[in-house]
């Protein structure tokens, strides 16, 4: 409970922006994903507040377990811009490029893993030859 009190700063004196613990943000504020779920975007507005919480799930050695989510005002949010046909075409072209193997130049039928840098059959070929 002391951690929640430490993260509660509605005036913004400690953190420079109004800060709330997990699930204690006031109505009328939303994070980016919440805005997107409503078909909205921040629209150039400044961060209105933030939510801070401690998470052991994403903590790695050398990093802080303190997580942050920036909140924006719903009344100042703007609708998401619709995708144009040119944007749809560019997205389709980029996704196709992620499926083409640079070794054999074939469409793999799936997105090429960046860890391999080539399709699985090309990556397994040297192992099969040995």
């Amino acid at each position: 409970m002391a951690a929640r009190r430490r993260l509660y700063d509605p005036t913004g004196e400690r953190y420079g922006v109004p800060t709330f613990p997990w699930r204690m943000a006031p109505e009328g504020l939303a994070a980016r994903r919440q805005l997107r779920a409503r078909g909205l975007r921040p629209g150039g507005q400044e961060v209105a507040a933030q939510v801070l919480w401690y998470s052991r799930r994403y903590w790695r050695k050398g990093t802080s377990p303190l997580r942050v989510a920036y909140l924006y005002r719903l009344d100042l949010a703007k609708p998401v811009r619709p995708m144009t046909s040119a944007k749809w075409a560019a997205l389709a072209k980029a996704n196709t490029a992620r499926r083409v193997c640079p070794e054999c130049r074939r469409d793999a039928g799936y997105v090429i893993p960046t860890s391999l840098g080539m399709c699985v059959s090309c990556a397994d070929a040297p192992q099969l030859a040995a």
Side-chain angles (χ1 to χ4, degrees), residues 48-108:
Q50 65 184 0
V51 173
L52 292 178
W53 73 96
Y54 287 98
S55 172
R56 284 174 274 163
R57 181 176 185 178
Y58 296 104
W59 179 78
R60 299 289 180 261
K61 188 173 182 177
T63 63
S64 173
L66 190 62
R67 307 285 295 171
V68 63
Y70 299 115
L71 303 176
Y72 301 91
R73 290 179 42 186
L74 285 171
D75 58 338
L76 298 178
K78 296 180 179 176
V80 174
R81 293 183 189 121
M83 289 280 281
T84 63
S85 58
K87 284 185 180 181
W88 280 114
L91 186 62
K93 187 176 178 181
N95 284 331
T96 302
R98 294 176 64 199
R99 295 166 53 114
V100 176
C101 176
E103 294 291 316
C104 63
R105 302 278 185 218
R106 287 185 293 169
D107 186 342

Side-chain angles (χ1 to χ4, degrees), residues 14 27 38 45 53 64 77 88 90 92 94 106 115:
R14 185 180 310 155
E27 294 291 321
R38 295 179 181 207
Q45 66 175 298
W53 73 96
S64 173
W88 280 114
R106 287 185 293 169
S115 60

